[in-house]
Amino acid sequence: MRLPATRLAVLVGAFCTGLLVGACGGRQATLSADEYAQTLRMRYGNIDRDLMTSESVDLNEDGEPDQVRYYLNGTLFMIERDLNFDGRPDLFEYYDSSGALVEQELQLDFDPAIDVVRIYRRGVLTQKLVSVEYDGSFTLWKYYDAQGNLLRVERDSNYDGHVDIWEYYEDGRLVRVGRDVDGDRTPDFVDVIN
């Protein structure tokens, strides 16, 4: 999975501040249960279902589970669903210790790569990551306000791992577009949309 350098640095920083206690720069830090659970995702390949308890449901009565609820230390952590009944989960939902949905991962094609990630805060969609090429490399990011209104879209149009197009929205309509043409990761041109 390719990540823009800034997003990779955030992930490494989050990992080093607690998951490896004392292993990164000698800092002694611990993650809360919710923070630890946020580091476990299908797209990172670090979920060990054997460490969780589960309960399954066969929604279409074909003898195969179509929905499985996983519990980490007795608390709902993840629900995986097989939306197209092909025997493999397509949707993974993650919950915090209060039972609130915090994230969804979707597989839109038939490979194991995650193609869309939706991030929620207090039940409202705040961010969406999209793998335009369906290969697990996120090249489109959408950001939403506290009411779920689209604020900004960032694109990596040349697939070099860096945002080069920024779209800004107000009241549901596109108002500005910034473009980085020289690769310095800042807009060289800004088009105002009337």
Tab-separated table of all heavy atoms in Angstrom, residues 121-183:
chain	number	residue	atom	x	y	z
A	121	ARG	N	-16.854	10.314	13.271
A	121	ARG	CA	-16.710	10.891	14.606
A	121	ARG	C	-18.103	11.249	15.086
A	121	ARG	O	-18.824	11.978	14.404
A	121	ARG	CB	-15.817	12.124	14.572
A	121	ARG	CG	-15.686	12.768	15.953
A	121	ARG	CD	-14.625	13.850	16.000
A	121	ARG	NE	-13.321	13.193	15.909
A	121	ARG	CZ	-12.329	13.624	15.141
A	121	ARG	NH1	-12.484	14.687	14.406
A	121	ARG	NH2	-11.180	12.982	15.114
A	122	ARG	N	-18.469	10.685	16.229
A	122	ARG	CA	-19.802	10.895	16.808
A	122	ARG	C	-20.913	10.566	15.817
A	122	ARG	O	-21.902	11.275	15.700
A	122	ARG	CB	-19.950	12.326	17.321
A	122	ARG	CG	-19.017	12.652	18.470
A	122	ARG	CD	-19.210	14.082	18.963
A	122	ARG	NE	-18.123	14.476	19.810
A	122	ARG	CZ	-17.005	15.077	19.391
A	122	ARG	NH1	-16.851	15.360	18.123
A	122	ARG	NH2	-16.050	15.404	20.242
A	123	GLY	N	-20.708	9.499	15.051
A	123	GLY	CA	-21.722	9.030	14.120
A	123	GLY	C	-21.791	9.760	12.803
A	123	GLY	O	-22.645	9.451	11.967
A	124	VAL	N	-20.916	10.741	12.572
A	124	VAL	CA	-20.941	11.531	11.344
A	124	VAL	C	-19.678	11.234	10.529
A	124	VAL	O	-18.573	11.201	11.072
A	124	VAL	CB	-21.016	13.040	11.662
A	124	VAL	CG1	-20.972	13.879	10.394
A	124	VAL	CG2	-22.278	13.353	12.463
A	125	LEU	N	-19.848	11.022	9.230
A	125	LEU	CA	-18.718	10.801	8.336
A	125	LEU	C	-17.835	12.037	8.321
A	125	LEU	O	-18.309	13.144	8.061
A	125	LEU	CB	-19.222	10.491	6.924
A	125	LEU	CG	-18.169	10.249	5.858
A	125	LEU	CD1	-17.388	8.967	6.146
A	125	LEU	CD2	-18.835	10.163	4.480
A	126	THR	N	-16.531	11.867	8.616
A	126	THR	CA	-15.600	12.999	8.625
A	126	THR	C	-14.541	12.900	7.533
A	126	THR	O	-13.991	13.905	7.124
A	126	THR	CB	-14.880	13.128	9.975
A	126	THR	OG1	-14.144	11.937	10.238
A	126	THR	CG2	-15.870	13.413	11.097
A	127	GLN	N	-14.258	11.676	7.083
A	127	GLN	CA	-13.219	11.509	6.067
A	127	GLN	C	-13.479	10.233	5.276
A	127	GLN	O	-13.967	9.242	5.819
A	127	GLN	CB	-11.843	11.433	6.727
A	127	GLN	CG	-10.692	11.443	5.767
A	127	GLN	CD	-9.344	11.445	6.479
A	127	GLN	OE1	-9.259	11.488	7.696
A	127	GLN	NE2	-8.280	11.398	5.712
A	128	LYS	N	-13.148	10.277	3.990
A	128	LYS	CA	-13.246	9.097	3.139
A	128	LYS	C	-11.966	8.990	2.322
A	128	LYS	O	-11.519	9.972	1.727
A	128	LYS	CB	-14.444	9.195	2.202
A	128	LYS	CG	-14.655	7.950	1.359
A	128	LYS	CD	-15.707	8.156	0.280
A	128	LYS	CE	-17.094	8.176	0.828
A	128	LYS	NZ	-18.123	8.229	-0.238
A	129	LEU	N	-11.364	7.805	2.318
A	129	LEU	CA	-10.174	7.516	1.530
A	129	LEU	C	-10.589	6.553	0.435
A	129	LEU	O	-11.278	5.570	0.698
A	129	LEU	CB	-9.091	6.854	2.375
A	129	LEU	CG	-8.455	7.626	3.512
A	129	LEU	CD1	-9.396	7.806	4.676
A	129	LEU	CD2	-7.198	6.924	3.972
A	130	VAL	N	-10.161	6.822	-0.810
A	130	VAL	CA	-10.578	5.995	-1.936
A	130	VAL	C	-9.354	5.553	-2.727
A	130	VAL	O	-8.485	6.359	-3.058
A	130	VAL	CB	-11.545	6.765	-2.869
A	130	VAL	CG1	-11.971	5.910	-4.054
A	130	VAL	CG2	-12.756	7.263	-2.101
A	131	SER	N	-9.314	4.262	-3.036
A	131	SER	CA	-8.293	3.713	-3.924
A	131	SER	C	-8.890	3.706	-5.326
A	131	SER	O	-9.652	2.808	-5.681
A	131	SER	CB	-7.913	2.291	-3.488
A	131	SER	OG	-7.018	1.729	-4.417
A	132	VAL	N	-8.566	4.714	-6.104
A	132	VAL	CA	-9.156	4.888	-7.423
A	132	VAL	C	-8.813	3.712	-8.338
A	132	VAL	O	-9.624	3.289	-9.156
A	132	VAL	CB	-8.707	6.227	-8.044
A	132	VAL	CG1	-9.199	6.386	-9.466
A	132	VAL	CG2	-9.181	7.385	-7.180
A	133	GLU	N	-7.624	3.158	-8.177
A	133	GLU	CA	-7.179	2.042	-9.009
A	133	GLU	C	-7.562	0.681	-8.420
A	133	GLU	O	-7.179	-0.356	-8.958
A	133	GLU	CB	-5.660	2.100	-9.191
A	133	GLU	CG	-5.182	3.342	-9.912
A	133	GLU	CD	-5.561	3.349	-11.381
A	133	GLU	OE1	-5.427	2.300	-12.033
A	133	GLU	OE2	-6.008	4.401	-11.867
A	134	TYR	N	-8.285	0.653	-7.293
A	134	TYR	CA	-8.709	-0.575	-6.620
A	134	TYR	C	-7.530	-1.481	-6.246
A	134	TYR	O	-7.629	-2.697	-6.302
A	134	TYR	CB	-9.712	-1.365	-7.482
A	134	TYR	CG	-10.959	-0.598	-7.797
A	134	TYR	CD1	-11.153	-0.029	-9.043
A	134	TYR	CD2	-11.935	-0.437	-6.831
A	134	TYR	CE1	-12.300	0.689	-9.321
A	134	TYR	CE2	-13.086	0.282	-7.099
A	134	TYR	CZ	-13.265	0.842	-8.350
A	134	TYR	OH	-14.391	1.553	-8.619
A	135	ASP	N	-6.411	-0.857	-5.852
A	135	ASP	CA	-5.232	-1.651	-5.500
A	135	ASP	C	-4.792	-1.443	-4.054
A	135	ASP	O	-3.724	-1.890	-3.663
A	135	ASP	CB	-4.078	-1.322	-6.448
A	135	ASP	CG	-3.633	0.137	-6.365
A	135	ASP	OD1	-4.230	0.911	-5.591
A	135	ASP	OD2	-2.684	0.499	-7.085
A	136	GLY	N	-5.600	-0.757	-3.254
A	136	GLY	CA	-5.245	-0.494	-1.866
A	136	GLY	C	-4.406	0.748	-1.673
A	136	GLY	O	-4.114	1.124	-0.546
A	137	SER	N	-4.005	1.418	-2.750
A	137	SER	CA	-3.258	2.674	-2.665
A	137	SER	C	-4.259	3.819	-2.728
A	137	SER	O	-4.930	4.004	-3.741
A	137	SER	CB	-2.273	2.814	-3.825
A	137	SER	OG	-1.329	1.780	-3.794
A	138	PHE	N	-4.366	4.573	-1.646
A	138	PHE	CA	-5.359	5.643	-1.587
A	138	PHE	C	-4.832	6.880	-2.304
A	138	PHE	O	-3.770	7.399	-1.976
A	138	PHE	CB	-5.724	5.947	-0.143
A	138	PHE	CG	-6.316	4.752	0.541
A	138	PHE	CD1	-5.597	4.050	1.484
A	138	PHE	CD2	-7.574	4.298	0.202
A	138	PHE	CE1	-6.119	2.931	2.095
A	138	PHE	CE2	-8.116	3.167	0.796
A	138	PHE	CZ	-7.385	2.483	1.748
A	139	THR	N	-5.588	7.340	-3.295
A	139	THR	CA	-5.188	8.491	-4.092
A	139	THR	C	-6.258	9.576	-4.117
A	139	THR	O	-6.118	10.564	-4.817
A	139	THR	CB	-4.882	8.054	-5.536
A	139	THR	OG1	-6.012	7.354	-6.072
A	139	THR	CG2	-3.654	7.143	-5.581
A	140	LEU	N	-7.319	9.398	-3.344
A	140	LEU	CA	-8.394	10.381	-3.253
A	140	LEU	C	-8.841	10.432	-1.800
A	140	LEU	O	-9.123	9.390	-1.198
A	140	LEU	CB	-9.571	9.965	-4.151
A	140	LEU	CG	-10.835	10.818	-4.087
A	140	LEU	CD1	-10.593	12.167	-4.748
A	140	LEU	CD2	-11.985	10.094	-4.766
A	141	TRP	N	-8.868	11.649	-1.241
A	141	TRP	CA	-9.274	11.842	0.149
A	141	TRP	C	-10.375	12.896	0.179
A	141	TRP	O	-10.238	13.972	-0.395
A	141	TRP	CB	-8.099	12.321	1.001
A	141	TRP	CG	-6.957	11.362	1.014
A	141	TRP	CD1	-6.731	10.363	1.908
A	141	TRP	CD2	-5.878	11.305	0.086
A	141	TRP	NE1	-5.581	9.688	1.589
A	141	TRP	CE2	-5.038	10.247	0.475
A	141	TRP	CE3	-5.529	12.036	-1.056
A	141	TRP	CZ2	-3.878	9.900	-0.213
A	141	TRP	CZ3	-4.384	11.695	-1.753
A	141	TRP	CH2	-3.576	10.642	-1.328
A	142	LYS	N	-11.468	12.590	0.866
A	142	LYS	CA	-12.572	13.543	1.019
A	142	LYS	C	-12.705	13.875	2.499
A	142	LYS	O	-12.666	12.982	3.340
A	142	LYS	CB	-13.888	12.948	0.499
A	142	LYS	CG	-13.885	12.704	-0.994
A	142	LYS	CD	-15.236	12.195	-1.458
A	142	LYS	CE	-15.263	12.060	-2.964
A	142	LYS	NZ	-16.617	11.709	-3.441
A	143	TYR	N	-12.904	15.156	2.804
A	143	TYR	CA	-13.023	15.634	4.181
A	143	TYR	C	-14.371	16.320	4.352
A	143	TYR	O	-14.809	17.081	3.490
A	143	TYR	CB	-11.897	16.615	4.511
A	143	TYR	CG	-10.533	15.981	4.379
A	143	TYR	CD1	-9.847	15.996	3.171
A	143	TYR	CD2	-9.948	15.351	5.462
A	143	TYR	CE1	-8.602	15.404	3.055
A	143	TYR	CE2	-8.695	14.756	5.355
A	143	TYR	CZ	-8.033	14.786	4.148
A	143	TYR	OH	-6.796	14.193	4.023
A	144	TYR	N	-15.003	16.055	5.507
A	144	TYR	CA	-16.355	16.547	5.775
A	144	TYR	C	-16.370	17.319	7.089
A	144	TYR	O	-15.557	17.066	7.978
A	144	TYR	CB	-17.324	15.369	5.874
A	144	TYR	CG	-17.344	14.517	4.629
A	144	TYR	CD1	-16.416	13.499	4.436
A	144	TYR	CD2	-18.294	14.734	3.637
A	144	TYR	CE1	-16.428	12.719	3.285
A	144	TYR	CE2	-18.314	13.953	2.490
A	144	TYR	CZ	-17.371	12.951	2.322
A	144	TYR	OH	-17.391	12.181	1.185
A	145	ASP	N	-17.330	18.244	7.230
A	145	ASP	CA	-17.467	18.993	8.481
A	145	ASP	C	-18.272	18.184	9.495
A	145	ASP	O	-18.676	17.044	9.228
A	145	ASP	CB	-18.062	20.381	8.246
A	145	ASP	CG	-19.501	20.367	7.747
A	145	ASP	OD1	-20.191	19.323	7.854
A	145	ASP	OD2	-19.953	21.413	7.254
A	146	ALA	N	-18.523	18.773	10.654
A	146	ALA	CA	-19.200	18.067	11.754
A	146	ALA	C	-20.643	17.687	11.423
A	146	ALA	O	-21.227	16.848	12.098
A	146	ALA	CB	-19.159	18.919	13.020
A	147	GLN	N	-21.218	18.282	10.384
A	147	GLN	CA	-22.575	17.924	9.960
A	147	GLN	C	-22.561	16.941	8.787
A	147	GLN	O	-23.615	16.550	8.293
A	147	GLN	CB	-23.360	19.185	9.556
A	147	GLN	CG	-23.730	20.088	10.719
A	147	GLN	CD	-22.538	20.874	11.241
A	147	GLN	OE1	-21.720	21.381	10.483
A	147	GLN	NE2	-22.415	20.951	12.559
A	148	GLY	N	-21.371	16.549	8.320
A	148	GLY	CA	-21.264	15.603	7.218
A	148	GLY	C	-21.256	16.243	5.846
A	148	GLY	O	-21.394	15.553	4.833
A	149	ASN	N	-21.080	17.570	5.772
A	149	ASN	CA	-21.030	18.268	4.492
A	149	ASN	C	-19.613	18.221	3.933
A	149	ASN	O	-18.647	18.439	4.658
A	149	ASN	CB	-21.454	19.729	4.654
A	149	ASN	CG	-22.850	19.855	5.199
A	149	ASN	OD1	-23.781	19.261	4.676
A	149	ASN	ND2	-22.998	20.615	6.273
A	150	LEU	N	-19.488	17.986	2.631
A	150	LEU	CA	-18.189	17.924	1.980
A	150	LEU	C	-17.493	19.276	2.040
A	150	LEU	O	-18.070	20.295	1.662
A	150	LEU	CB	-18.352	17.483	0.519
A	150	LEU	CG	-17.075	17.303	-0.290
A	150	LEU	CD1	-16.205	16.196	0.308
A	150	LEU	CD2	-17.425	16.982	-1.746
A	151	LEU	N	-16.259	19.281	2.557
A	151	LEU	CA	-15.456	20.501	2.651
A	151	LEU	C	-14.359	20.555	1.603
A	151	LEU	O	-14.119	21.587	0.985
A	151	LEU	CB	-14.781	20.597	4.030
A	151	LEU	CG	-15.646	20.852	5.233
A	151	LEU	CD1	-14.800	20.799	6.500
A	151	LEU	CD2	-16.334	22.203	5.105
A	152	ARG	N	-13.643	19.424	1.454
A	152	ARG	CA	-12.446	19.428	0.619
A	152	ARG	C	-12.216	18.035	0.046
A	152	ARG	O	-12.502	17.031	0.677
A	152	ARG	CB	-11.247	19.842	1.472
A	152	ARG	CG	-9.946	19.972	0.756
A	152	ARG	CD	-8.821	20.485	1.673
A	152	ARG	NE	-8.295	19.440	2.532
A	152	ARG	CZ	-8.446	19.377	3.847
A	152	ARG	NH1	-9.136	20.297	4.490
A	152	ARG	NH2	-7.914	18.399	4.544
A	153	VAL	N	-11.691	18.020	-1.182
A	153	VAL	CA	-11.258	16.779	-1.816
A	153	VAL	C	-9.804	16.968	-2.209
A	153	VAL	O	-9.439	17.992	-2.784
A	153	VAL	CB	-12.105	16.444	-3.068
A	153	VAL	CG1	-11.557	15.212	-3.777
A	153	VAL	CG2	-13.568	16.255	-2.697
A	154	GLU	N	-8.968	15.984	-1.879
A	154	GLU	CA	-7.561	16.002	-2.276
A	154	GLU	C	-7.315	14.804	-3.175
A	154	GLU	O	-7.809	13.718	-2.914
A	154	GLU	CB	-6.651	15.923	-1.046
A	154	GLU	CG	-6.795	17.107	-0.129
A	154	GLU	CD	-5.917	17.019	1.115
A	154	GLU	OE1	-5.242	15.976	1.313
A	154	GLU	OE2	-5.916	17.980	1.894
A	155	ARG	N	-6.527	15.037	-4.248
A	155	ARG	CA	-6.264	13.971	-5.210
A	155	ARG	C	-4.768	13.848	-5.485
A	155	ARG	O	-4.058	14.846	-5.558
A	155	ARG	CB	-6.960	14.255	-6.545
A	155	ARG	CG	-8.440	14.383	-6.470
A	155	ARG	CD	-9.021	14.814	-7.830
A	155	ARG	NE	-10.410	15.177	-7.706
A	155	ARG	CZ	-11.421	14.325	-7.806
A	155	ARG	NH1	-11.182	13.066	-8.039
A	155	ARG	NH2	-12.667	14.738	-7.672
A	156	ASP	N	-4.338	12.621	-5.662
A	156	ASP	CA	-3.001	12.330	-6.164
A	156	ASP	C	-3.209	11.843	-7.586
A	156	ASP	O	-3.344	10.649	-7.840
A	156	ASP	CB	-2.329	11.262	-5.296
A	156	ASP	CG	-0.976	10.821	-5.840
A	156	ASP	OD1	-0.487	11.430	-6.815
A	156	ASP	OD2	-0.428	9.849	-5.292
A	157	SER	N	-3.271	12.780	-8.537
A	157	SER	CA	-3.671	12.436	-9.908
A	157	SER	C	-2.581	11.734	-10.701
A	157	SER	O	-2.872	11.050	-11.681
A	157	SER	CB	-4.135	13.691	-10.652
A	157	SER	OG	-3.051	14.575	-10.844
A	158	ASN	N	-1.310	11.879	-10.291
A	158	ASN	CA	-0.226	11.227	-11.024
A	158	ASN	C	0.349	10.025	-10.269
A	158	ASN	O	1.366	9.467	-10.660
A	158	ASN	CB	0.875	12.226	-11.370
A	158	ASN	CG	1.499	12.854	-10.146
A	158	ASN	OD1	1.151	12.521	-9.010
A	158	ASN	ND2	2.424	13.770	-10.367
A	159	TYR	N	-0.288	9.652	-9.146
A	159	TYR	CA	0.057	8.447	-8.382
A	159	TYR	C	1.510	8.429	-7.904
A	159	TYR	O	2.146	7.383	-7.859
A	159	TYR	CB	-0.256	7.180	-9.194
A	159	TYR	CG	-1.669	7.157	-9.707
A	159	TYR	CD1	-1.955	7.446	-11.035
A	159	TYR	CD2	-2.719	6.886	-8.845
A	159	TYR	CE1	-3.265	7.447	-11.497
A	159	TYR	CE2	-4.036	6.886	-9.302
A	159	TYR	CZ	-4.298	7.171	-10.626
A	159	TYR	OH	-5.589	7.177	-11.073
A	160	ASP	N	2.003	9.606	-7.498
A	160	ASP	CA	3.377	9.662	-6.980
A	160	ASP	C	3.423	9.668	-5.455
A	160	ASP	O	4.481	9.807	-4.861
A	160	ASP	CB	4.124	10.876	-7.532
A	160	ASP	CG	3.600	12.198	-7.002
A	160	ASP	OD1	2.531	12.214	-6.336
A	160	ASP	OD2	4.251	13.230	-7.255
A	161	GLY	N	2.257	9.515	-4.806
A	161	GLY	CA	2.207	9.489	-3.350
A	161	GLY	C	1.986	10.847	-2.717
A	161	GLY	O	2.028	10.964	-1.494
A	162	HIS	N	1.748	11.896	-3.532
A	162	HIS	CA	1.560	13.247	-3.006
A	162	HIS	C	0.336	13.902	-3.637
A	162	HIS	O	0.088	13.758	-4.829
A	162	HIS	CB	2.793	14.111	-3.282
A	162	HIS	CG	4.045	13.520	-2.741
A	162	HIS	ND1	4.320	13.462	-1.395
A	162	HIS	CD2	5.086	12.927	-3.364
A	162	HIS	CE1	5.487	12.880	-1.213
A	162	HIS	NE2	5.979	12.536	-2.382
A	163	VAL	N	-0.385	14.639	-2.825
A	163	VAL	CA	-1.559	15.366	-3.309
A	163	VAL	C	-1.108	16.430	-4.302
A	163	VAL	O	-0.148	17.156	-4.066
A	163	VAL	CB	-2.319	16.020	-2.129
A	163	VAL	CG1	-3.447	16.903	-2.626
A	163	VAL	CG2	-2.842	14.945	-1.190
A	164	ASP	N	-1.820	16.510	-5.443
A	164	ASP	CA	-1.505	17.545	-6.428
A	164	ASP	C	-2.737	18.310	-6.903
A	164	ASP	O	-2.621	19.259	-7.661
A	164	ASP	CB	-0.735	16.968	-7.623
A	164	ASP	CG	-1.386	15.743	-8.229
A	164	ASP	OD1	-2.624	15.678	-8.266
A	164	ASP	OD2	-0.648	14.842	-8.661
A	165	ILE	N	-3.917	17.920	-6.418
A	165	ILE	CA	-5.147	18.672	-6.720
A	165	ILE	C	-5.950	18.811	-5.427
A	165	ILE	O	-6.153	17.834	-4.709
A	165	ILE	CB	-6.003	17.970	-7.792
A	165	ILE	CG1	-5.233	17.879	-9.115
A	165	ILE	CG2	-7.330	18.707	-7.991
A	165	ILE	CD1	-5.963	17.106	-10.202
A	166	TRP	N	-6.375	20.034	-5.135
A	166	TRP	CA	-7.205	20.324	-3.971
A	166	TRP	C	-8.492	20.962	-4.460
A	166	TRP	O	-8.466	21.944	-5.203
A	166	TRP	CB	-6.502	21.306	-3.033
A	166	TRP	CG	-5.242	20.801	-2.423
A	166	TRP	CD1	-5.100	20.260	-1.182
A	166	TRP	CD2	-3.934	20.817	-2.999
A	166	TRP	NE1	-3.787	19.928	-0.958
A	166	TRP	CE2	-3.047	20.258	-2.053
A	166	TRP	CE3	-3.411	21.235	-4.235
A	166	TRP	CZ2	-1.681	20.109	-2.296
A	166	TRP	CZ3	-2.061	21.084	-4.473
A	166	TRP	CH2	-1.208	20.526	-3.507
A	167	GLU	N	-9.628	20.430	-4.045
A	167	GLU	CA	-10.930	21.002	-4.388
A	167	GLU	C	-11.594	21.454	-3.094
A	167	GLU	O	-11.642	20.697	-2.129
A	167	GLU	CB	-11.818	19.965	-5.070
A	167	GLU	CG	-11.254	19.433	-6.357
A	167	GLU	CD	-12.061	18.266	-6.903
A	167	GLU	OE1	-13.088	17.883	-6.293
A	167	GLU	OE2	-11.667	17.726	-7.945
A	168	TYR	N	-12.106	22.669	-3.069
A	168	TYR	CA	-12.749	23.224	-1.879
A	168	TYR	C	-14.224	23.472	-2.160
A	168	TYR	O	-14.583	23.987	-3.222
A	168	TYR	CB	-12.064	24.531	-1.459
A	168	TYR	CG	-10.625	24.305	-1.090
A	168	TYR	CD1	-9.615	24.406	-2.036
A	168	TYR	CD2	-10.276	23.965	0.212
A	168	TYR	CE1	-8.288	24.182	-1.693
A	168	TYR	CE2	-8.958	23.741	0.562
A	168	TYR	CZ	-7.969	23.849	-0.397
A	168	TYR	OH	-6.661	23.609	-0.056
A	169	TYR	N	-15.062	23.099	-1.178
A	169	TYR	CA	-16.515	23.176	-1.329
A	169	TYR	C	-17.116	24.070	-0.252
A	169	TYR	O	-16.648	24.104	0.878
A	169	TYR	CB	-17.132	21.774	-1.217
A	169	TYR	CG	-16.750	20.889	-2.377
A	169	TYR	CD1	-15.504	20.259	-2.418
A	169	TYR	CD2	-17.618	20.693	-3.435
A	169	TYR	CE1	-15.141	19.456	-3.486
A	169	TYR	CE2	-17.268	19.888	-4.505
A	169	TYR	CZ	-16.029	19.274	-4.525
A	169	TYR	OH	-15.672	18.481	-5.586
A	170	GLU	N	-18.164	24.781	-0.642
A	170	GLU	CA	-18.970	25.562	0.298
A	170	GLU	C	-20.433	25.334	-0.051
A	170	GLU	O	-20.801	25.435	-1.232
A	170	GLU	CB	-18.632	27.054	0.207
A	170	GLU	CG	-17.256	27.390	0.722
A	170	GLU	CD	-16.912	28.877	0.567
A	170	GLU	OE1	-17.808	29.676	0.184
A	170	GLU	OE2	-15.745	29.217	0.813
A	171	ASP	N	-21.233	25.030	0.946
A	171	ASP	CA	-22.658	24.778	0.748
A	171	ASP	C	-22.917	23.744	-0.342
A	171	ASP	O	-23.831	23.887	-1.150
A	171	ASP	CB	-23.393	26.085	0.431
A	171	ASP	CG	-23.286	27.098	1.559
A	171	ASP	OD1	-23.324	26.661	2.729
A	171	ASP	OD2	-23.134	28.299	1.265
A	172	GLY	N	-22.065	22.726	-0.403
A	172	GLY	CA	-22.260	21.635	-1.340
A	172	GLY	C	-21.815	21.897	-2.762
A	172	GLY	O	-22.006	21.057	-3.639
A	173	ARG	N	-21.196	23.054	-3.013
A	173	ARG	CA	-20.743	23.306	-4.390
A	173	ARG	C	-19.259	23.636	-4.415
A	173	ARG	O	-18.707	24.227	-3.480
A	173	ARG	CB	-21.568	24.389	-5.072
A	173	ARG	CG	-21.471	25.743	-4.493
A	173	ARG	CD	-22.358	26.759	-5.246
A	173	ARG	NE	-21.879	28.096	-4.971
A	173	ARG	CZ	-20.934	28.728	-5.639
A	173	ARG	NH1	-20.368	28.163	-6.672
A	173	ARG	NH2	-20.542	29.943	-5.303
A	174	LEU	N	-18.618	23.251	-5.503
A	174	LEU	CA	-17.197	23.495	-5.707
A	174	LEU	C	-16.951	24.985	-5.888
A	174	LEU	O	-17.598	25.631	-6.716
A	174	LEU	CB	-16.726	22.727	-6.948
A	174	LEU	CG	-15.257	22.827	-7.316
A	174	LEU	CD1	-14.383	22.213	-6.224
A	174	LEU	CD2	-15.006	22.127	-8.658
A	175	VAL	N	-16.012	25.557	-5.088
A	175	VAL	CA	-15.742	26.993	-5.178
A	175	VAL	C	-14.306	27.305	-5.599
A	175	VAL	O	-14.051	28.370	-6.157
A	175	VAL	CB	-16.060	27.716	-3.846
A	175	VAL	CG1	-17.547	27.661	-3.552
A	175	VAL	CG2	-15.249	27.157	-2.694
A	176	ARG	N	-13.349	26.391	-5.326
A	176	ARG	CA	-11.942	26.616	-5.697
A	176	ARG	C	-11.276	25.289	-6.023
A	176	ARG	O	-11.574	24.279	-5.408
A	176	ARG	CB	-11.144	27.218	-4.540
A	176	ARG	CG	-11.321	28.630	-4.283
A	176	ARG	CD	-10.363	29.223	-3.224
A	176	ARG	NE	-9.925	28.418	-2.123
A	176	ARG	CZ	-10.583	28.223	-0.983
A	176	ARG	NH1	-11.782	28.743	-0.815
A	176	ARG	NH2	-10.066	27.507	-0.012
A	177	VAL	N	-10.322	25.356	-6.949
A	177	VAL	CA	-9.500	24.193	-7.266
A	177	VAL	C	-8.053	24.648	-7.313
A	177	VAL	O	-7.718	25.598	-8.030
A	177	VAL	CB	-9.892	23.552	-8.620
A	177	VAL	CG1	-8.971	22.383	-8.939
A	177	VAL	CG2	-11.345	23.123	-8.625
A	178	GLY	N	-7.196	23.986	-6.535
A	178	GLY	CA	-5.761	24.269	-6.563
A	178	GLY	C	-5.030	23.122	-7.232
A	178	GLY	O	-5.398	21.955	-7.073
A	179	ARG	N	-3.969	23.466	-7.996
A	179	ARG	CA	-3.207	22.440	-8.711
A	179	ARG	C	-1.714	22.642	-8.488
A	179	ARG	O	-1.210	23.759	-8.578
A	179	ARG	CB	-3.502	22.503	-10.201
A	179	ARG	CG	-4.895	22.091	-10.565
A	179	ARG	CD	-5.118	22.134	-12.082
A	179	ARG	NE	-6.428	21.648	-12.438
A	179	ARG	CZ	-7.530	22.368	-12.382
A	179	ARG	NH1	-7.488	23.605	-11.971
A	179	ARG	NH2	-8.695	21.852	-12.726
A	180	ASP	N	-1.026	21.545	-8.207
A	180	ASP	CA	0.434	21.545	-8.095
A	180	ASP	C	0.979	20.950	-9.388
A	180	ASP	O	0.836	19.752	-9.629
A	180	ASP	CB	0.877	20.706	-6.895
A	180	ASP	CG	2.383	20.558	-6.800
A	180	ASP	OD1	3.116	21.315	-7.461
A	180	ASP	OD2	2.828	19.663	-6.062
A	181	VAL	N	1.594	21.773	-10.239
A	181	VAL	CA	2.110	21.283	-11.513
A	181	VAL	C	3.609	21.029	-11.492
A	181	VAL	O	4.124	20.301	-12.329
A	181	VAL	CB	1.750	22.236	-12.682
A	181	VAL	CG1	0.241	22.268	-12.892
A	181	VAL	CG2	2.301	23.611	-12.461
A	182	ASP	N	4.323	21.616	-10.517
A	182	ASP	CA	5.784	21.443	-10.494
A	182	ASP	C	6.265	20.429	-9.451
A	182	ASP	O	7.466	20.223	-9.285
A	182	ASP	CB	6.486	22.781	-10.298
A	182	ASP	CG	6.179	23.453	-8.976
A	182	ASP	OD1	5.477	22.841	-8.139
A	182	ASP	OD2	6.633	24.595	-8.790
A	183	GLY	N	5.342	19.788	-8.751
A	183	GLY	CA	5.702	18.716	-7.838
A	183	GLY	C	6.252	19.142	-6.494
A	183	GLY	O	6.815	18.327	-5.768
